[in-house]
Amino acid sequence: MEFLFDLDDPLQCLEHIYQFLSPMVVAFHPKKSAGRTGPCFGSGLLLSYRGEKFIVTSEAVLSAACVNHGQNVVASNGAQQWPLLQLRCASPQHLDLAAIHLPADWLARHPAENCFELDYGTLPDPMASAFTLLLGYPVSNGRPAGQLNSAIGVVSRPYSSNTRRNQVVQPLFVEFDSRDILSRCRLDKSTLQAFYQLGGAPAISLYHSFQQDSNRLTAYLQGVVVEWDHARIGATVTSSALLSGFLDSFLLRLRQDGEVAPPELAELLARFRH
């Protein structure tokens, strides 16, 4: 996925990229009675891979959806709300990514036109990215940070997290810049400081094109947010380097098992949740 980029006006270009990508980001809400929904508890990314569509998020967000809410949740984007009850979902061992499969009959009733195209190739070095965008819906202690009409985008920079102890495969640590927050709502870092809980939020890394035309940025899914540091200045992001292999295995199992969802999924997630 490529974008034209003007080096003389980078923030305006990032705003354009944010407006293009934010319709692909969803917020998870528990479904209540009479069509109402509860507060947001995580974010996800609509993803297209090998002709199939998924919502990619973190294992912790999927666990909350299955264990706390019995998968009776909706994924919302603006005015759209998509029910996720009884959809097939999976999270691989030793990888804090998770995915929810969106089958063809579900898509016929709930069209999801804006999807991020997953690249089949190897991810470039995250340290070489020009920008990294975190896109998601901030929540804190189960409460949303105001009524946001769209996802926020936080411009950030990655650096190695070799000294940080976590269970994430090939982790990337992302630190927030001081003021570059993109949103259609009036937001600033001081307002959002207590609400940086973007569990499952996708990190989209933008790289200068390797082609001769240097005024392009190529976007890759770097991973999703899985945990936050105590100082609230950054987040650990999973690597999506193994995402394509995980989705291939998920698709193979879907074709073998059909559409019958394993009933013990919530029990397994509750048992191995960390």
Side-chain angles (χ1 to χ4, degrees):
M1 192 171 291
E2 287 197 337
F3 300 90
L4 289 174
F5 188 74
D6 182 1
L7 290 172
D8 294 327
D9 197 356
L11 282 181
Q12 181 178 350
C13 291
L14 284 171
E15 174 71 15
H16 169 73
I17 295 171
Y18 157 78
Q19 291 179 0
F20 186 87
L21 292 175
S22 60
M24 306 176 188
V25 181
V26 298
F28 291 102
H29 298 262
K31 191 174 181 180
K32 304 294 185 179
S33 59
R36 295 176 301 170
T37 57
C40 171
F41 63 88
S43 303
L45 177 69
L46 291 164
L47 189 78
S48 176
Y49 180 69
R50 297 195 185 279
E52 299 285 344
K53 293 185 178 180
F54 303 86
I55 297 177
V56 175
T57 184
S58 68
E59 184 274 337
V61 173
L62 181 62
S63 293
C66 294
V67 177
N68 299 344
H69 307 295
Q71 210 175 337
N72 190 23
V73 298
V74 296
S76 66
N77 182 290
Q80 300 184 85
Q81 289 190 352
W82 298 309
L84 304 181
L85 187 63
Q86 296 183 339
L87 292 184
R88 294 292 300 272
C89 47
S91 181
Q93 288 185 330
H94 312 301
L95 187 64
D96 284 343
L97 288 164
I100 302 169
H101 179 241
L102 307 179
D105 59 344
W106 185 93
L107 289 167
R109 300 189 304 271
H110 311 284
E113 300 176 357
N114 299 300
C115 289
F116 193 91
E117 296 286 341
L118 182 64
D119 187 82
Y120 286 55
T122 305
L123 289 176
D125 180 4
M127 302 302 293
S129 65
F131 303 97
T132 296
L133 274 176
L134 289 184
L135 296 169
Y137 294 82
V139 295
S140 178
N141 299 323
R143 294 175 299 172
Q147 297 299 319
L148 299 181
N149 297 322
S150 61
I152 66 165
V154 182
V155 182
S156 54
R157 64 182 182 88
Y159 62 89
S160 299
S161 58
N162 298 331
T163 61
R164 294 177 175 272
R165 299 179 60 187
N166 53 61
Q167 298 177 350
V168 181
V169 175
Q170 298 178 340
L172 168 71
F173 190 74
V174 177
E175 183 179 10
F176 303 136
D177 285 353
S178 60
R179 60 187 180 278
D180 293 335
I181 297 175
L182 306 176
S183 177
R184 295 179 185 178
C185 305
R186 292 193 62 179
L187 301 169
D188 56 51
K189 186 175 180 180
S190 60
T191 303
L192 289 172
Q193 190 75 17
F195 297 99
Y196 277 145
Q197 302 287 337
L198 298 170
I204 308 294
S205 289
L206 302 162
Y207 299 82
H208 290 294
S209 174
F210 294 108
Q211 301 175 3
Q212 292 183 353
D213 52 337
S214 59
N215 63 333
R216 287 182 178 270
L217 290 179
T218 304
Y220 292 89
L221 173 62
Q222 198 66 58
V224 297
V225 173
V226 295
E227 62 185 19
W228 296 82
D229 70 337
H230 295 297
R232 291 180 176 173
I233 61 170
T236 301
V237 175
T238 68
S239 170
S240 61
L242 303 178
L243 180 58
S244 58
F246 158 52
L247 292 179
D248 285 336
S249 299
F250 190 13
L251 285 172
L252 179 61
R253 196 172 76 226
L254 287 170
R255 294 182 181 120
Q256 291 174 343
D257 299 343
E259 291 301 324
V260 180
E264 70 280 3
L265 176 62
E267 180 183 346
L268 287 173
L269 285 172
R271 185 184 305 171
F272 294 106
R273 190 176 182 185
H274 53 273

